[in-house]
Amino acid sequence: NFWVAHLFAGKAQLAEGRLDEALASFARARELSRGSAEAISLTGYTLARMQDPAGATRALDEVSKKIGGSLKR
């Protein structure tokens, strides 16, 4: 399984408003890539679109730690 394919599938699903499918694709991309910052960021964005601010914040915190910085909210 090629993680980038799951990432791009998730982006297409997100653009079509298929949020549950996008979230699953980003989760698979995260798993296969061992934590791609882009996959984590897109997970957070998708969770925000799904009206899950707590989940989106967790993803933001995770990607912030991964890139070694502090992201402003």
Side-chain angles (χ1 to χ4, degrees):
N1 283 320
F2 187 51
W3 73 269
V4 175
H6 292 278
L7 188 74
F8 279 97
K11 288 180 179 184
Q13 292 156 342
L14 185 60
E16 293 175 351
R18 296 165 35 207
L19 302 180
D20 289 329
E21 293 173 64
L23 197 58
S25 292
F26 296 141
R28 186 67 175 141
R30 286 173 68 178
E31 177 186 340
L32 292 172
S33 69
R34 296 188 181 109
S36 157
E38 185 175 7
I40 298 167
S41 297
L42 287 165
T43 297
Y45 177 74
T46 304
L47 289 168
R49 293 230 358 230
M50 296 173 83
Q51 305 299 311
D52 180 357
T57 299
R58 282 191 302 274
L60 179 65
D61 290 342
E62 184 180 349
V63 79
S64 180
K65 289 176 188 172
K66 184 158 196 67
I67 63 173
S70 175
L71 299 176
K72 303 219 186 243
R73 294 189 195 149

